[in-house]
Amino acid sequence: MRINYDLSELGAAARERIEESLTQAKILYLLDKETLSIDKSDEVKVDEIISATESIEEFFEAAQSEARAVRSGTVGRACELCGSRPAASLSLRRQVGMVIVMRQYEVDAVLCSPCAERSYVDFQKQTAIKGWTGVRSALMNPVMLSANLVNIRRHREQINQLRRSA
Ligand SMILES: [Zn+2]
């Protein structure tokens, strides 16, 4: 017995993701324009795949409408960690120095004041502890520490401006 799903409500990108997931799950399917046809025995798995894709779509739509509202100035940006406002962009870097390999971590996020300060302290601590092992790291570390300091100061100014204008 075959089950048909009408996927016309979903965007082309979502349909592509569903096809990808079906292929990965080794589910046999037929996609005729916007109608997906599968065997009844795969119904539960296909339901899962489609609902997962739908929630991703909803998430992106919500993020996009939020971004539109921010651009049009009707609402300020919210912190990516806790959702508070005001929030401003903050970019922090740290590195884990090893003798040969040097890894660098970077975050770029819109954060409210408490989350930004916490992330900043955390990054500076991590950099200070782990960052001194390799020779290259030792050279790069002060650069990163001061770049982070510059960025957190800029973040503080932006938050203050947002508070004044609110
Ligand atoms: Zn926050």
Side-chain angles (χ1 to χ4, degrees), residues 79-84 111-115:
C79 174
E80 288 176 23
L81 289 178
C82 73
S84 306
L111 299 173
C112 70
S113 184
C115 291

